[in-house]
Amino acid sequence: MDRRQQKTRNAIFQAFGALLAEKNYSKMTVQNIIDKANIGRTTFYAHFQTKDDLLKEMCVDLFSHVFSETLNIEKTHDFSMKTGNPRAIITHILYHMLDSNKNIMGILTSESGELFLTFFRQYLNKLLAARILEGSDMSDKGIPEDFLINHISSSFVGMVQWWIKNSLKQSPELLSDYFLSVIAPAV
C-alpha cells in the first residue's frame, strides 16, 4: 500500500472512530463516514465494502500491531526492550485501549462492541497460546489447554469491561499486575 492509500485509510479510521464516539454504530451510515473523512464514495469503496468490513479491518490493523512479535517505542509508552515479558505485553495492550487514536473505547461502548470483542478474543487466544502460556502444563491437573486459553482471554475481556465501567481509573501497569495476580495460579 502506498503512502497516499495509507493516508486515506487512516483518515477513514479516524473518522470512523470519531463517529463511534458521537453516534450508535447501527445509526451510522457509510455517507457519515465519507463526510467525516472528507473523501469520495468511490474512495471509501476502494478500501472497504461495508462499514462492517471497516470495523473488522480496523480491528485487524490494531491487533496486528498490538499483538506483533516486536514492540516499538510509541508516544504514550515504550515496551520495545521488553519483548516476551507477559506483564509488558498485557500493559502494552492496555495502553492501546487507553490511547484514543483508534477510539477503542468508543467501539467497546457501542453496540459494535461485541463484534470487536469477538475479534479481540481471537487475537488474545493466539497470544496466550504462543507467548503467555508457553511452557506451562496444566494437563497434569486435567485442564485442557483450549479451556485454559478461553478462560484467561474471557477474564481479560471482563477486566477491560470492568476498567471501562470504572472510568479507566487504574493505570495499565496496575491493571496488568491485578490480572497477572489473578491468573498466576492457572499459569
Side-chain angles (χ1 to χ4, degrees):
M1 185 178 312
D2 68 26
R3 284 191 301 171
R4 186 178 50 84
Q5 291 171 317
Q6 189 60 47
K7 187 175 179 180
T8 301
R9 187 178 169 93
N10 288 340
I12 294 169
F13 283 157
Q14 291 293 328
F16 184 57
L19 285 168
L20 283 169
E22 298 170 12
K23 60 176 22 179
N24 289 335
Y25 178 77
S26 61
K27 293 185 184 217
M28 188 187 310
T29 65
V30 169
Q31 188 61 50
N32 296 140
I33 300 166
I34 289 168
D35 292 343
K36 189 83 164 176
N38 196 25
I39 59 168
R41 183 169 288 280
T42 306
T43 302
F44 178 87
Y45 287 112
H47 290 270
F48 308 101
Q49 292 181 1
T50 65
K51 71 177 182 178
D52 289 343
D53 288 337
L54 169 56
L55 176 62
K56 183 178 180 182
E57 281 301 310
M58 190 173 182
C59 291
V60 167
D61 189 61
L62 171 71
F63 297 149
S64 353
H65 166 74
V66 172
F67 295 106
S68 71
E69 290 290 325
T70 57
L71 304 177
N72 299 316
I73 297 173
E74 300 185 41
K75 66 179 180 182
T76 57
H77 55 278
D78 176 12
F79 295 107
S80 58
M81 302 303 287
K82 307 210 181 209
T83 303
N85 177 328
R87 184 178 188 276
I89 293 167
I90 292 166
T91 306
H92 181 237
I93 293 167
L94 294 170
Y95 265 107
H96 275 282
M97 302 203 103
L98 192 57
D99 194 354
S100 63
N101 71 342
K102 296 278 187 184
N103 204 343
I104 296 169
M105 298 309 166
I107 295 170
L108 285 172
T109 56
S110 72
E111 71 275 7
S112 61
E114 281 306 311
L115 182 58
F116 177 87
L117 289 174
T118 298
F119 297 133
F120 187 53
R121 273 190 190 97
Q122 290 170 358
Y123 276 87
L124 270 175
N125 289 347
K126 289 177 190 171
L127 172 75
L128 286 166
R131 290 193 259 161
I132 294 179
L133 293 178
E134 189 176 54
S136 69
D137 185 15
M138 295 301 286
S139 60
D140 61 331
K141 295 182 181 174
I143 300 173
E145 184 177 279
D146 61 334
F147 173 84
L148 184 59
I149 289 170
N150 181 67
H151 178 74
I152 293 172
S153 65
S154 294
S155 177
F156 188 86
V157 167
M159 176 192 68
V160 168
Q161 290 171 320
W162 173 85
W163 190 37
I164 293 167
K165 186 178 179 182
N166 287 290
S167 307
L168 309 169
K169 290 177 187 170
Q170 296 75 18
S171 70
E173 290 83 2
L174 182 59
L175 216 54
S176 289
D177 290 343
Y178 289 169
F179 182 70
L180 289 170
S181 293
V182 169
I183 68 162
V187 297

